[in-house]
Amino acid sequence: MNKIKPFLFFIAFLFLLGLQNPKKTTPNEITNFLSAIDSVLGSHHSFSYDLQYKIKYCSDDDTTSENSQYAFVSAKSDTLLGATILLKYGDSMALYYNFSNLFSVNHSSQKVTRYPEGNISRIEHRINRGYVNYFLGKKKFADLIDDNVAEMYLSDTSIDNVSFFLLTIHQKDQAPVTDIVSTFLFDSQFNPVYFTFRANLFGGFQYDSWKFTNLKFDQISSNGLADEFQLLTKNYPLTDYQKPSEKEKKPLLTVGEKAPDFWGYVYPDSTPVRLSDKVKEGYVLLDFWYMSCYPCIMAIPHLSDVSDKYKDKGLTVWGVNPYNGDPNDQKKFPKFLDKHRLIYPIVFVDEKLPQEHYGVDGYPTFFLVGKGGTIEYVNVGYGEKSIQMLDSIIDSKLMK
């Protein structure tokens, strides 16, 4: 996926919004409008379009962009995806589903991988991203109106003498996510043109946009997609997907095991630190985290409280970060730290350390390491009860 500056991402659409004088619309009016869209899409049996998808994550300054081509034919008898699908994305990738198997095509390596029948996980997120289920009628635009909606606006406009409908939906805050706004631009024939999503998380905004072009209906068939797939891959060898061996994955370390020693570098001055040296001084709480992990961010103020409470009683908290140590990411930390009360050291480590040495498979993951280097508490994920349990265990260890 390519990266572009977010300013250009939204300037055209913000201009469009500026042309509007929207009025608050009743739920019935919006529901009728969206039902009409569902009805129009439901009258077709095949669909093809180009999609330009863009996203700016809360922790990033740049916007990531990917162009895809979607082509699919409805098949209500298919219980998995409800269609035969050929999807091309990036510079060299494609996915094809033919009612029984999913095939992954890599033009760079000139290989085709066949997945077992029923294994469709590789394509599911792209189906969701491309609004495929809305075109197929498995999801309804009318169902966008639910109890989470706070306000809705519907307006019409014309640009270069072309008419459009613009629907804006403000959702209720869902802490810690606030300022949730979705916009949907349709042409006069109720065809999707341009969608956006925006939300605020911990003071940072995430933006998504979907631009639909070259939209065509009822011009392709399942046999036609099969022929195109065969043409794309006629000179490529076919291999069956091999599931990675579970033995390759290290299990999560548990209480009573020795914490593997490691070196790290403290932000911002890259001071080297070593776990085996630090545990000689007292307990060390390792928080494996990264900057765009929302549960990790939610845990930060509570870990800062723990650090502040026990720092003079023999506890050191390390925010062990395997993913944000490169110079570009480090440039984001001053702004990140302005938004979040993080008072304990951030320690950058090799990205292989968490899984290969500690068995970490989810973030955040906490290890409380005692003076002898033995793990005395482990917890995966964030929750207020887990933080309370952590505080209680630390208190019992340090207050003996």
Side-chain angles (χ1 to χ4, degrees), residues 6 8 38 111 123 154 156 204 228 237 251 297 323 340 373 387:
L8 295 178
D38 290 327
K111 292 182 179 179
I123 198 174
L154 179 63
D156 52 36
E228 185 175 355
I297 295 173
Y323 298 126
H340 309 291
I387 293 294

Side-chain angles (χ1 to χ4, degrees), residues 8-194:
L8 295 178
F9 173 14
F10 275 95
I11 189 169
F13 195 63
L14 289 176
F15 173 76
L16 173 63
L17 291 178
L19 296 176
Q20 311 306 311
N21 183 22
K23 61 180 180 179
K24 191 179 297 186
T25 316
T26 67
N28 283 340
E29 290 175 309
I30 298 289
T31 300
N32 291 338
F33 170 74
L34 293 177
S35 294
I37 293 171
D38 290 327
S39 178
V40 168
L41 294 178
S43 67
H44 302 291
H45 73 273
S46 76
F47 312 82
S48 64
Y49 51 87
D50 296 338
L51 176 67
Q52 184 182 62
Y53 173 72
K54 299 178 183 179
I55 183 169
K56 188 199 85 68
Y57 294 101
C58 297
S59 59
D60 288 344
D61 295 325
D62 292 335
T63 299
T64 301
S65 175
E66 182 181 80
N67 295 318
S68 305
Q69 294 176 295
Y70 285 78
F72 48 98
V73 180
S74 177
K76 291 183 169 49
S77 60
D78 181 73
T79 58
L80 288 178
L81 298 181
T84 180
I85 299 174
L86 180 60
L87 195 167
K88 305 171 186 176
Y89 61 98
D91 296 327
S92 60
M93 301 298 294
L95 292 167
Y96 172 66
Y97 174 73
N98 66 353
F99 305 137
S100 59
N101 293 96
L102 176 67
F103 298 83
S104 174
V105 183
N106 187 324
H107 292 298
S108 295
S109 61
Q110 297 188 346
K111 292 182 179 179
V112 182
T113 301
R114 177 173 55 198
Y115 289 82
E117 188 170 347
N119 186 335
I120 57 172
S121 59
R122 187 174 176 83
I123 198 174
E124 284 180 306
H125 79 282
R126 293 189 176 278
I127 286 176
N128 292 330
R129 175 184 291 180
Y131 277 80
V132 170
N133 286 329
Y134 287 88
F135 283 93
L136 292 174
K138 297 174 71 174
K139 289 186 177 181
K140 302 293 185 181
F141 279 102
D143 292 338
L144 295 172
I145 313 306
D146 57 24
D147 293 339
N148 291 320
V149 172
E151 293 181 344
M152 300 174 289
Y153 304 90
L154 179 63
S155 58
D156 52 36
T157 188
S158 63
I159 302 175
D160 294 333
N161 296 318
V162 179
S163 297
F164 297 95
F165 296 101
L166 177 64
L167 172 64
T168 304
I169 299 178
H170 296 258
Q171 290 185 295
K172 299 173 184 176
D173 290 347
Q174 301 172 35
V177 184
T178 62
D179 305 319
I180 308 169
V181 182
S182 298
T183 61
F184 302 88
L185 187 70
F186 298 92
D187 67 19
S188 60
Q189 303 301 310
F190 296 156
N191 298 317
V193 177
Y194 194 77

Side-chain angles (χ1 to χ4, degrees), residues 265 267 270 291 321-330 333 348-349:
Y265 300 90
Y267 174 84
S270 297
M291 195 160 40
N321 188 310
Y323 298 126
N324 303 126
D326 68 84
N328 287 332
D329 273 0
Q330 288 198 40
F333 269 94
F348 296 122
V349 297

